[in-house]
Amino acid sequence: MSEVPTPGLATCCWMQFGGANGELAAAMQYSIQGLNCDDPDRKDMLMDIGTEELSHLEIVGTLARMHLKPIKKSRDSAEADPLIAIACEGGVGLFNSMGDAWTADYLKITGELDVDLRSNIAAEAQAKIVYEHLINLSDDPGTKDALQFLMTREITHMKAFTGALESLGKDPFSIGNIPPTPGLVDEYFNDSTGLGDEGETDARGPWNTGGKWKIVESPELEQGVEGRSGETIVKNHKPVSEETGKTRVKKSA
Amino acid sequence: MSEVPTPGLATCCWMQFGGANGELAAAMQYSIQGLNCDDPDRKDMLMDIGTEELSHLEIVGTLARMHLKPIKKSRDSAEADPLIAIACEGGVGLFNSMGDAWTADYLKITGELDVDLRSNIAAEAQAKIVYEHLINLSDDPGTKDALQFLMTREITHMKAFTGALESLGKDPFSIGNIPPTPGLVDEYFNDSTGLGDEGETDARGPWNTGGKWKIVESPELEQGVEGRSGETIVKNHKPVSEETGKTRVKKSA
Amino acid sequence: MSEVPTPGLATCCWMQFGGANGELAAAMQYSIQGLNCDDPDRKDMLMDIGTEELSHLEIVGTLARMHLKPIKKSRDSAEADPLIAIACEGGVGLFNSMGDAWTADYLKITGELDVDLRSNIAAEAQAKIVYEHLINLSDDPGTKDALQFLMTREITHMKAFTGALESLGKDPFSIGNIPPTPGLVDEYFNDSTGLGDEGETDARGPWNTGGKWKIVESPELEQGVEGRSGETIVKNHKPVSEETGKTRVKKSA
Amino acid sequence: MSEVPTPGLATCCWMQFGGANGELAAAMQYSIQGLNCDDPDRKDMLMDIGTEELSHLEIVGTLARMHLKPIKKSRDSAEADPLIAIACEGGVGLFNSMGDAWTADYLKITGELDVDLRSNIAAEAQAKIVYEHLINLSDDPGTKDALQFLMTREITHMKAFTGALESLGKDPFSIGNIPPTPGLVDEYFNDSTGLGDEGETDARGPWNTGGKWKIVESPELEQGVEGRSGETIVKNHKPVSEETGKTRVKKSA
Amino acid sequence: MSEVPTPGLATCCWMQFGGANGELAAAMQYSIQGLNCDDPDRKDMLMDIGTEELSHLEIVGTLARMHLKPIKKSRDSAEADPLIAIACEGGVGLFNSMGDAWTADYLKITGELDVDLRSNIAAEAQAKIVYEHLINLSDDPGTKDALQFLMTREITHMKAFTGALESLGKDPFSIGNIPPTPGLVDEYFNDSTGLGDEGETDARGPWNTGGKWKIVESPELEQGVEGRSGETIVKNHKPVSEETGKTRVKKSA
Amino acid sequence: MSEVPTPGLATCCWMQFGGANGELAAAMQYSIQGLNCDDPDRKDMLMDIGTEELSHLEIVGTLARMHLKPIKKSRDSAEADPLIAIACEGGVGLFNSMGDAWTADYLKITGELDVDLRSNIAAEAQAKIVYEHLINLSDDPGTKDALQFLMTREITHMKAFTGALESLGKDPFSIGNIPPTPGLVDEYFNDSTGLGDEGETDARGPWNTGGKWKIVESPELEQGVEGRSGETIVKNHKPVSEETGKTRVKKSA
């Protein structure tokens, strides 16, 4: 380790200790999904990876603690960083870099395996990016090595979750059992202004053109949810029509 | 609408009003990602969909309010559901079905466009499933229609976000700029017990077999992070080695 | 007291014990405003009322406890209300009626005396309404008397805070030191749709007509913040103009 | 814009983005009050102003983003401000200036229109003061202009809410339907010590003298809630009397 | 297992899964104390017990899941318990019995080993009591056995933590390094009223009589912190004296 | 007071104002325990000490306010500490040193008097340590005196709570009514690795040796909870056995 430990880096490491996409969040998200999972094979995978993330929590905590140790409980350091000096007394706590206590509100657990796997893929991508930032912030070779190890494992997990999702053999846009309404599902609502100098040019891309895509101009403005509600969606359902009919946004002339 | 509104359904609807994957969460997640986005075309898409989700928030709130109206401020209803009768006085509040106040801790925003798009795809899948449950709970045709509309739009957004992600042309496992460590990235750590009667059979699937996958037996147990750390990861970095070397899990004989 | 205590009423009483506008919130809001107040006379008043609210906290807690006592720690009561039976073991806790822990996020404290007094007037009105609901829920004369006492004192405090606010001799719309922009301050932006069958009729009232009021039709739609920003507000300030110019809402043709 | 953007100002701007009295809080408070409002005219006003606040959220976010852009993802900036560099990756997040996630606990929504309007008047005053501080912190003319615009609109909204409140024609101290107890409502309880050297001089002002005001010396001390409870408030209600009779504060000899 | 699983019991079990004194809280409290601990022997103990609590988390989650399984995703069950049916889709989540997300605010970690051990002893006693309630709520022999196992282990941990605390050889009232002020440390302040009919009898016990105890009558009332501050505590420190001198509580005549 | 007040010290003082183990936490914990307490003598003690802690809250707030006063609302101080300059406008707020709002999640209240007393003893030890740090951070004699007073009282309270706990005459390991399982209660599970160079040496001490202690080697690894569950704990209870039998940790060969 370089001769000068870096309390600031330790604080940043907390992002992966007690942060929204940190190791405890990952460990709990996958393990609890595993507890709720009726598919024994994928349950085994969720437990494998959840267990591995717990071991990462210990590594990250050890790294942070190592960089925190040189902090003296002096007035200077306390004023500079009460999070470390006073709240945690030079130790590690289950906080993120801003001192917010970890909360289970960070977790994405639904009980639908394919939905959960998508959340996990996204979570691993989030964690991978944070480790990349931490590597860039570090100049100690040993710390960089440890962070590279942890960052690599996130990609491993992305691959595993992706393999598990694909092995379910579901259409990527088939979620749950009730199919979406045909036609409506392919309408792209152009609700914001364009991007040109005058604001009149809207962007086009694979997200609203090609295939079955059909661009619908600002339905809230030109016909309102009202017209749509009244005639199509909540037909024969006057109370809804009466109330949702008044969108907040002014109809154009 | 059926003659008897259903306060219980209203409570459940709150999941999509003030819940972790509800409409406010979606609107804020996409709009703030849009504010941070330097790519003008995809920023336009994020703003389009964020704006649409805000209009959905209004629809869900109106639905919930409609089903809540018949609640008299009586002692019976207050005891049965203080959330509705006392806390919100028969109105809608920014809570989930359990009465927890909405929090921005629900949001997944990283500033990396491809990572954010993955989070959005997962978020839409989560919301789709909740709408499906609400449809199953409802027996009023008008309410069912409105929920079907909202559910359909979530699939539309999944498609749009997927199109935008693919249009970036990135390898699905290429996140950020620093590549993962070759070899290590393909190792599947078998950390939990098997699934057979004796606990010795582990699951195999596309998430740990085929391609470059190599299964590594419980590295925490058989060699410890210590061995790994000491020799490979945090080589020449004694302090980390000394501390992380002692994993919590007993080494087998 | 009537022979049958009412656990449900106890739960509702918690709204005034550990709720957002309950007695602890009032006591803390006024006492901390008092600690920060440099005006000795109004500081004395804030401390007087803050101290009184603390004594109310004790009364409300005692009332709730009295109605909770008959709850047996049985399976039935635990399943019916885990909040009371398990979490608080038949006692009182610092939660609201939905079981949410009290948080200082409920408090409105700014350090500007006139602003704080307005918050306090609003807070007393909120608390008065909740006591009114509790009285309506109760059929025990003694409980009703205690609640009437507490409700009355909220009106007393409204009067005191109003007297203190008026004694500052400030114009009701003069807040802080920087005056608002003339002209703009009297423009009412008509941003939502009207209320008629076709959505074209907008409401008129003392909040947008009479005096200096001037109604401006949907400025976001017809000229955009862009036009306004570009020309007036952030003139010579291209970066803001370029970005805020694109409002989310489609410009009308 | 001045040549040197100011990340610190950006952090402070977050107070109005994701803070307790920021633009999202305002937008949600008014819009949800509007959803719950049965009076169509004032509902229109709540929706108008709620919609305008949403557009302000976008302006504030854009301002913050503009000042954040120059932040390099360097070790220095990350150590100086992990909130910006690591948690939000140089972008905007739904946090306040201390990095606390936005929560609906900030909102004041009761379902009583006059009570809600009072909360809104107070909320606008709070927001006005924060904008004033931000203007004082800024030295960039364009930023100052944008903040002046936003600050002005808060006063506009104060006026509109005040007009709406007055148009209800209610007595300022008439809240809900149950009248306060005559006599008791005009008693000012002098619960804290005085302000002179010996602590014996108490403040007098329009909040406790004049009109019907009657000062009551420390009722908790001299007669206790007990005496009051036992004889007046919870008369014939022994259990309450027995318990609330013992206030925490020692009776004077 | 009995033939009829009991969703209500499952909800209660959550108290030990995601509750303030549940297994995750225990596991995290002890493990993080262990990470911060410089004493290798007691660190080993903290890690041993932290690891055991993690395995308990899995057992409790499995128990809860088992009792939840029979819940059909029907309208009835969703209305009866949205926590289980909608929020968690019949699975387990990291919530307590009232649906509050787990938060690290539950943890007590100071970095002083003896202080932490006291917190742990208290935490184990808290958890023991909750398991006892759960056993009383259960009538399924298998479930009772599992709960008895978990309850027993809490006593084991109490014993271990007590042994570790005693082995430090510190005086029970010697915390940290700075000794308390002699004399003052033995004064019991009698601040609340007595317990007799007239409120004049105060309780006496080993907590204020015997040994060096000296009862001081309501110092806030009879001499004020002022007198104390001005003369003793903050002597020569006028600003504090001037302000803290005015306690909120009226001085008796 | 020294000539230069110290805003940083003020921030640190907030730990005892609005922090997890601060004065409000103490006041609320003891007072609410007192409200729930059926033992009149110990209830009197809880109320005495709860009341005293409230007066300490006022002292700490006054101290913090005194050190904050010199903060000018300048851009420099706002950028340096938005918590003080913007959020609290140079005043005190109910936050901890990291700007987190106080929450009742900090409190430990169970309704079992002996358990509550243990929590209180631990809480006083925690608060004592924080005051010690604050004293070390301070160089103003008056401030040091006030902190010494407050610190001393925490020890006083520790003594009182200890006296009250001992006066209950309960065995230290007898909590509640259901006795732990004999034998199992004396087994120390050695779940983590040893501490020697090779990780094979485990610590021995009064927490796992002597008396009835019996060390059991890593039961999760060598026999699993499965064996234990299947045969002993949840015997004849197949569903639990089937699921909890698979612990996450690999069985050794």
Side-chain angles (χ1 to χ4, degrees):
Chain A
M1 195 174 71
S2 65
E3 306 229 327
V4 185
T6 50
L9 180 60
T11 312
C12 293
C13 279
W14 281 4
M15 218 62 208
Q16 286 303 96
F17 190 74
N21 299 306
E23 297 294 355
L24 181 61
M28 286 299 119
Q29 182 162 306
Y30 310 153
S31 299
I32 296 177
Q33 288 172 355
L35 278 176
N36 290 333
C37 182
D38 291 326
D39 171 338
D41 285 7
R42 286 161 194 84
K43 179 188 192 118
D44 180 56
M45 179 200 65
L46 289 164
M47 287 304 196
D48 277 342
I49 302 182
T51 304
E52 184 179 346
E53 302 288 19
L54 268 179
S55 76
H56 292 181
L57 181 70
E58 192 173 355
I59 299 176
V60 174
T62 303
L63 268 177
R65 170 76 174 147
M66 187 180 70
H67 285 280
L68 287 171
K69 267 200 170 161
I71 292 193
K72 298 184 307 293
K73 288 174 187 172
S74 67
R75 179 164 154 185
D76 282 353
S77 65
E79 293 191 6
D81 200 336
L83 172 61
I84 293 172
I86 293 293
C88 300
E89 305 204 5
V92 177
L94 206 48
F95 301 102
N96 68 7
S97 302
M98 291 100 80
D100 303 308
W102 192 91
T103 162
D105 285 325
Y106 297 147
L107 307 182
K108 300 292 180 192
I109 300 171
T110 67
E112 295 284 321
L113 185 55
D114 60 319
V115 175
D116 283 353
L117 289 170
R118 284 171 199 276
S119 298
N120 299 357
I121 293 167
E124 294 289 347
Q126 290 154 13
K128 197 276 178 189
I129 280 292
V130 178
Y131 277 124
E132 183 163 324
H133 290 315
L134 295 177
I135 290 171
N136 288 335
L137 293 175
S138 174
D139 52 14
D140 166 51
T143 301
K144 272 174 132 56
D145 279 356
L147 293 169
Q148 172 78 23
F149 169 76
L150 294 165
M151 187 191 76
T152 294
R153 298 306 298 164
E154 309 299 26
I155 298 292
T156 305
H157 300 161
M158 269 192 95
K159 288 184 171 181
F161 289 133
T162 302
L165 176 60
E166 289 172 353
S167 75
L168 294 173
K170 297 191 70 169
D171 178 273
F173 304 123
S174 167
I175 307 293
N177 298 312
I178 306 180
T181 305
L184 177 65
V185 76
D186 296 315
E187 293 183 9
Y188 182 91
F189 290 0
N190 183 29
D191 288 332
S192 69
T193 56
L195 294 153
D197 274 3
E198 307 301 297
E200 79 274 34
T201 313
D202 286 302
R204 294 289 175 271
W207 52 87
N208 58 15
T209 52
K212 294 184 174 177
W213 281 119
K214 180 186 160 197
I215 294 181
V216 176
E217 286 302 316
S218 304
E220 286 86 0
L221 303 182
E222 278 155 30
Q223 41 177 162
V225 177
E226 177 185 35
R228 185 174 300 282
S229 315
E231 293 157 63
T232 313
I233 304 159
V234 285
K235 199 166 44 179
N236 305 324
H237 188 38
K238 214 60 176 101
V240 168
S241 159
E242 277 176 17
E243 296 196 45
T244 64
K246 289 107 209 171
T247 60
R248 287 191 214 161
V249 184
K250 187 76 180 179
K251 288 166 76 165
S252 60
Chain B
M1 196 175 72
S2 66
E3 307 227 329
V4 186
T6 50
L9 180 60
T11 312
C12 292
C13 278
W14 280 5
M15 217 62 209
Q16 286 303 95
F17 190 74
N21 298 306
E23 297 293 355
L24 182 61
M28 287 298 119
Q29 182 161 308
Y30 310 153
S31 299
I32 297 177
Q33 288 172 354
L35 279 176
N36 290 333
C37 183
D38 291 325
D39 171 339
D41 285 6
R42 286 162 194 84
K43 178 188 194 119
D44 180 56
M45 180 199 65
L46 288 165
M47 286 305 194
D48 276 342
I49 302 182
T51 303
E52 185 180 346
E53 302 287 18
L54 268 181
S55 75
H56 292 183
L57 181 70
E58 192 173 354
I59 299 177
V60 174
T62 302
L63 268 177
R65 169 76 174 148
M66 186 179 71
H67 285 280
L68 286 171
K69 267 201 171 160
I71 291 191
K72 297 184 308 294
K73 289 174 187 171
S74 67
R75 179 164 155 184
D76 282 355
S77 66
E79 293 190 7
D81 199 335
L83 171 61
I84 294 170
I86 294 295
C88 301
E89 305 206 6
V92 177
L94 206 48
F95 302 102
N96 68 7
S97 302
M98 291 99 81
D100 302 309
W102 191 90
T103 162
D105 286 325
Y106 296 148
L107 306 183
K108 299 294 181 192
I109 300 171
T110 66
E112 294 284 321
L113 186 55
D114 61 318
V115 175
D116 283 353
L117 289 170
R118 285 171 199 275
S119 298
N120 298 357
I121 293 167
E124 294 289 346
Q126 290 154 12
K128 198 277 178 189
I129 280 293
V130 178
Y131 277 123
E132 183 163 324
H133 290 316
L134 294 179
I135 290 171
N136 288 336
L137 292 175
S138 173
D139 52 15
D140 166 51
T143 302
K144 274 173 131 57
D145 278 356
L147 294 168
Q148 173 77 24
F149 168 77
L150 294 165
M151 187 192 77
T152 294
R153 298 305 299 166
E154 309 298 28
I155 298 293
T156 304
H157 301 161
M158 271 192 93
K159 288 184 170 182
F161 289 132
T162 302
L165 177 59
E166 289 172 353
S167 75
L168 294 174
K170 297 190 69 168
D171 179 89
F173 304 123
S174 167
I175 308 292
N177 299 311
I178 305 179
T181 306
L184 177 65
V185 75
D186 296 315
E187 292 182 9
Y188 182 92
F189 290 180
N190 182 30
D191 288 332
S192 68
T193 56
L195 292 153
D197 275 1
E198 306 302 297
E200 79 276 32
T201 314
D202 285 304
R204 293 288 176 272
W207 54 86
N208 58 13
T209 52
K212 295 184 173 177
W213 281 120
K214 179 186 161 198
I215 294 182
V216 176
E217 286 303 317
S218 306
E220 288 84 0
L221 303 182
E222 278 155 32
Q223 43 179 160
V225 177
E226 177 186 35
R228 184 175 300 281
S229 315
E231 293 157 63
T232 311
I233 305 160
V234 284
K235 201 165 43 181
N236 303 326
H237 188 41
K238 214 58 176 107
V240 168
S241 159
E242 276 177 17
E243 295 198 43
T244 64
K246 288 105 207 172
T247 60
R248 288 191 213 159
V249 184
K250 187 75 181 178
K251 288 166 75 166
S252 59
Chain C
M1 195 175 70
S2 65
E3 307 227 327
V4 186
T6 50
L9 180 60
T11 312
C12 292
C13 279
W14 280 4
M15 216 64 209
Q16 285 303 96
F17 190 74
N21 299 306
E23 298 293 356
L24 180 61
M28 287 299 120
Q29 182 162 307
Y30 310 152
S31 300
I32 296 176
Q33 288 172 355
L35 279 175
N36 290 332
C37 182
D38 292 326
D39 170 339
D41 285 7
R42 287 162 193 84
K43 177 187 194 119
D44 180 56
M45 180 200 65
L46 289 165
M47 288 305 196
D48 277 341
I49 302 182
T51 303
E52 185 179 345
E53 302 288 18
L54 268 180
S55 75
H56 292 182
L57 181 70
E58 191 173 355
I59 299 176
V60 174
T62 303
L63 269 177
R65 170 76 174 147
M66 186 180 71
H67 286 279
L68 287 171
K69 267 202 170 158
I71 292 192
K72 299 183 308 293
K73 289 173 187 172
S74 66
R75 179 164 155 184
D76 282 354
S77 67
E79 293 190 6
D81 199 337
L83 172 61
I84 295 170
I86 294 294
C88 300
E89 304 204 7
V92 177
L94 206 48
F95 302 101
N96 68 7
S97 303
M98 292 98 79
D100 302 309
W102 192 90
T103 163
D105 285 325
Y106 297 147
L107 307 182
K108 299 293 180 192
I109 300 170
T110 67
E112 294 285 320
L113 186 54
D114 60 319
V115 175
D116 282 354
L117 289 170
R118 285 171 199 275
S119 298
N120 298 356
I121 292 166
E124 293 289 348
Q126 290 154 13
K128 198 276 178 188
I129 281 291
V130 178
Y131 277 124
E132 183 164 324
H133 289 316
L134 295 178
I135 290 172
N136 288 335
L137 293 175
S138 173
D139 52 15
D140 167 51
T143 301
K144 272 173 130 59
D145 279 356
L147 293 169
Q148 173 77 24
F149 168 77
L150 295 165
M151 187 190 77
T152 293
R153 298 304 299 165
E154 308 300 27
I155 298 293
T156 305
H157 301 161
M158 269 192 94
K159 288 184 170 181
F161 290 133
T162 302
L165 177 60
E166 290 172 354
S167 75
L168 294 174
K170 297 191 68 168
D171 177 271
F173 305 123
S174 168
I175 308 293
N177 300 310
I178 306 179
T181 305
L184 178 65
V185 76
D186 297 315
E187 293 182 8
Y188 182 92
F189 290 180
N190 183 30
D191 288 333
S192 68
T193 56
L195 292 153
D197 274 2
E198 306 303 297
E200 79 273 34
T201 313
D202 286 303
R204 293 287 176 272
W207 53 87
N208 57 15
T209 52
K212 295 183 173 177
W213 281 120
K214 179 186 161 198
I215 295 181
V216 176
E217 288 301 318
S218 305
E220 286 85 1
L221 304 183
E222 278 155 30
Q223 42 179 161
V225 176
E226 177 185 35
R228 183 175 300 281
S229 315
E231 293 157 63
T232 311
I233 307 161
V234 284
K235 202 165 41 181
N236 303 325
H237 188 39
K238 213 63 175 101
V240 168
S241 159
E242 275 177 17
E243 296 198 44
T244 63
K246 288 106 209 172
T247 60
R248 286 194 213 156
V249 184
K250 187 77 180 179
K251 289 165 75 166
S252 60
Chain D
M1 194 174 70
S2 65
E3 306 229 328
V4 185
T6 50
L9 180 60
T11 312
C12 292
C13 278
W14 282 4
M15 218 61 208
Q16 286 303 95
F17 190 74
N21 298 306
E23 297 294 354
L24 181 61
M28 286 298 120
Q29 182 161 307
Y30 310 154
S31 299
I32 296 177
Q33 288 172 354
L35 279 176
N36 290 334
C37 183
D38 292 326
D39 170 339
D41 285 5
R42 286 161 193 82
K43 177 187 195 121
D44 180 55
M45 179 200 65
L46 289 164
M47 288 304 195
D48 276 342
I49 302 182
T51 303
E52 185 180 345
E53 302 287 20
L54 269 179
S55 76
H56 292 182
L57 181 70
E58 191 173 356
I59 298 176
V60 174
T62 303
L63 269 177
R65 170 76 174 148
M66 188 180 69
H67 286 278
L68 287 170
K69 268 201 170 160
I71 292 192
K72 297 185 309 292
K73 289 174 187 173
S74 67
R75 179 164 154 186
D76 282 354
S77 66
E79 292 190 7
D81 199 335
L83 172 60
I84 293 171
I86 294 294
C88 300
E89 304 204 7
V92 177
L94 206 48
F95 302 101
N96 67 8
S97 302
M98 291 98 79
D100 302 310
W102 192 91
T103 161
D105 285 325
Y106 297 146
L107 307 183
K108 300 293 181 192
I109 299 171
T110 68
E112 295 284 320
L113 185 55
D114 61 318
V115 175
D116 282 354
L117 289 170
R118 284 171 199 276
S119 298
N120 299 357
I121 292 166
E124 294 290 347
Q126 290 154 12
K128 197 276 178 189
I129 281 292
V130 179
Y131 278 123
E132 183 164 324
H133 289 316
L134 296 178
I135 290 171
N136 289 335
L137 293 175
S138 173
D139 52 15
D140 167 52
T143 300
K144 272 174 133 58
D145 278 355
L147 293 169
Q148 173 78 22
F149 168 77
L150 294 166
M151 186 191 77
T152 294
R153 298 305 299 165
E154 309 299 28
I155 297 293
T156 305
H157 300 163
M158 270 192 95
K159 288 184 169 180
F161 289 133
T162 301
L165 177 60
E166 289 171 353
S167 75
L168 294 174
K170 298 189 70 168
D171 178 272
F173 304 124
S174 167
I175 307 291
N177 299 310
I178 306 179
T181 305
L184 177 64
V185 75
D186 296 315
E187 293 182 8
Y188 182 92
F189 290 0
N190 183 29
D191 288 332
S192 68
T193 56
L195 294 153
D197 274 2
E198 307 301 297
E200 78 276 31
T201 312
D202 286 303
R204 293 290 176 271
W207 53 86
N208 58 14
T209 52
K212 296 183 174 177
W213 281 119
K214 180 187 162 199
I215 294 181
V216 177
E217 286 302 318
S218 306
E220 286 85 1
L221 302 183
E222 279 156 30
Q223 42 178 163
V225 177
E226 177 184 37
R228 184 175 300 280
S229 314
E231 293 157 64
T232 314
I233 305 160
V234 285
K235 200 165 44 178
N236 304 325
H237 187 40
K238 215 59 176 103
V240 168
S241 159
E242 276 177 16
E243 296 197 45
T244 64
K246 288 107 210 169
T247 60
R248 287 193 214 157
V249 184
K250 187 77 180 178
K251 288 165 76 165
S252 61
Chain E
M1 195 175 71
S2 66
E3 306 227 329
V4 186
T6 51
L9 180 60
T11 311
C12 292
C13 279
W14 281 5
M15 217 63 209
Q16 286 303 97
F17 190 74
N21 299 306
E23 297 293 354
L24 181 62
M28 287 299 119
Q29 183 161 306
Y30 309 153
S31 299
I32 296 177
Q33 288 172 354
L35 279 175
N36 290 333
C37 184
D38 291 326
D39 171 338
D41 285 6
R42 287 162 193 84
K43 178 187 193 118
D44 180 55
M45 180 200 64
L46 289 165
M47 287 304 195
D48 276 342
I49 301 182
T51 304
E52 184 179 346
E53 302 288 18
L54 268 180
S55 76
H56 292 181
L57 180 70
E58 191 173 355
I59 298 176
V60 174
T62 303
L63 268 177
R65 169 78 175 146
M66 187 180 70
H67 285 280
L68 286 172
K69 267 202 172 158
I71 291 192
K72 298 183 307 293
K73 289 174 188 171
S74 68
R75 179 165 153 184
D76 282 354
S77 66
E79 293 190 6
D81 199 336
L83 171 61
I84 294 171
I86 294 294
C88 301
E89 305 205 6
V92 177
L94 205 49
F95 302 101
N96 69 6
S97 302
M98 290 100 79
D100 302 309
W102 192 91
T103 161
D105 285 326
Y106 297 147
L107 307 182
K108 299 294 180 192
I109 299 171
T110 67
E112 294 285 321
L113 186 54
D114 61 319
V115 175
D116 283 353
L117 289 170
R118 284 171 199 275
S119 297
N120 298 357
I121 292 166
E124 293 289 347
Q126 291 153 13
K128 197 278 178 187
I129 281 291
V130 178
Y131 277 124
E132 182 163 324
H133 290 316
L134 295 178
I135 290 171
N136 288 336
L137 293 175
S138 173
D139 52 14
D140 167 51
T143 301
K144 272 175 131 56
D145 278 356
L147 293 169
Q148 173 76 25
F149 168 77
L150 294 165
M151 187 191 76
T152 295
R153 298 304 299 165
E154 309 298 27
I155 298 293
T156 305
H157 301 161
M158 270 191 93
K159 288 184 169 181
F161 289 132
T162 302
L165 177 60
E166 289 171 354
S167 74
L168 294 174
K170 297 191 71 167
D171 177 90
F173 305 124
S174 167
I175 308 293
N177 299 311
I178 305 180
T181 305
L184 177 65
V185 75
D186 296 315
E187 294 183 8
Y188 181 92
F189 290 179
N190 183 30
D191 288 332
S192 68
T193 55
L195 293 153
D197 275 1
E198 307 301 296
E200 79 275 33
T201 314
D202 285 304
R204 293 287 176 272
W207 54 87
N208 57 16
T209 52
K212 296 183 174 177
W213 281 119
K214 178 187 163 199
I215 295 182
V216 176
E217 286 303 317
S218 305
E220 285 86 359
L221 303 183
E222 279 156 30
Q223 41 178 164
V225 177
E226 177 186 34
R228 183 174 301 281
S229 314
E231 294 158 63
T232 312
I233 305 161
V234 285
K235 201 164 42 180
N236 304 325
H237 188 40
K238 213 64 174 101
V240 167
S241 160
E242 275 177 17
E243 296 197 44
T244 65
K246 288 105 207 169
T247 60
R248 287 193 213 158
V249 184
K250 187 77 181 176
K251 289 166 73 166
S252 59
Chain F
M1 196 174 69
S2 66
E3 307 229 328
V4 186
T6 49
L9 180 60
T11 312
C12 292
C13 278
W14 281 4
M15 217 62 208
Q16 285 303 96
F17 190 74
N21 299 307
E23 297 294 356
L24 181 62
M28 288 298 119
Q29 182 161 308
Y30 310 153
S31 298
I32 296 177
Q33 288 172 354
L35 279 176
N36 291 333
C37 182
D38 292 325
D39 171 338
D41 284 6
R42 285 160 194 86
K43 178 188 193 117
D44 180 56
M45 180 200 64
L46 289 164
M47 287 305 194
D48 276 341
I49 302 181
T51 303
E52 185 180 346
E53 302 288 18
L54 269 180
S55 75
H56 292 182
L57 181 70
E58 192 173 354
I59 299 176
V60 175
T62 302
L63 269 177
R65 170 77 174 146
M66 187 180 70
H67 286 280
L68 286 171
K69 267 200 171 161
I71 292 192
K72 296 184 309 293
K73 289 175 187 170
S74 67
R75 180 165 153 184
D76 282 354
S77 66
E79 292 190 8
D81 199 335
L83 171 62
I84 293 171
I86 294 294
C88 300
E89 306 203 7
V92 177
L94 206 48
F95 302 101
N96 67 7
S97 302
M98 291 99 79
D100 302 309
W102 192 91
T103 161
D105 285 326
Y106 296 147
L107 307 182
K108 300 293 181 190
I109 299 170
T110 67
E112 294 285 320
L113 186 54
D114 61 318
V115 175
D116 282 354
L117 289 170
R118 285 172 198 276
S119 298
N120 299 357
I121 293 166
E124 294 289 348
Q126 290 153 13
K128 197 276 179 190
I129 281 292
V130 179
Y131 277 123
E132 183 163 325
H133 290 315
L134 295 178
I135 290 171
N136 288 335
L137 293 174
S138 173
D139 52 14
D140 167 51
T143 301
K144 273 174 132 56
D145 278 356
L147 294 169
Q148 172 78 23
F149 168 77
L150 295 165
M151 187 191 76
T152 294
R153 298 305 298 165
E154 308 299 27
I155 298 293
T156 304
H157 300 161
M158 270 192 94
K159 288 185 170 182
F161 289 132
T162 302
L165 177 60
E166 289 171 353
S167 75
L168 294 174
K170 298 190 69 168
D171 178 272
F173 305 123
S174 168
I175 307 292
N177 299 310
I178 306 179
T181 305
L184 178 64
V185 76
D186 296 315
E187 293 182 8
Y188 182 91
F189 291 179
N190 183 29
D191 288 331
S192 68
T193 56
L195 294 153
D197 275 1
E198 306 301 298
E200 80 276 34
T201 313
D202 286 303
R204 293 290 175 271
W207 53 86
N208 58 15
T209 52
K212 294 185 174 176
W213 281 120
K214 180 186 163 200
I215 294 181
V216 176
E217 285 302 318
S218 305
E220 286 85 1
L221 303 182
E222 277 155 32
Q223 41 178 162
V225 176
E226 177 184 35
R228 184 174 299 282
S229 313
E231 293 158 63
T232 312
I233 305 161
V234 285
K235 198 165 45 178
N236 304 324
H237 188 39
K238 214 61 175 101
V240 167
S241 159
E242 277 177 14
E243 296 195 44
T244 64
K246 288 107 209 171
T247 60
R248 287 192 215 158
V249 184
K250 188 77 182 177
K251 289 166 76 166
S252 61

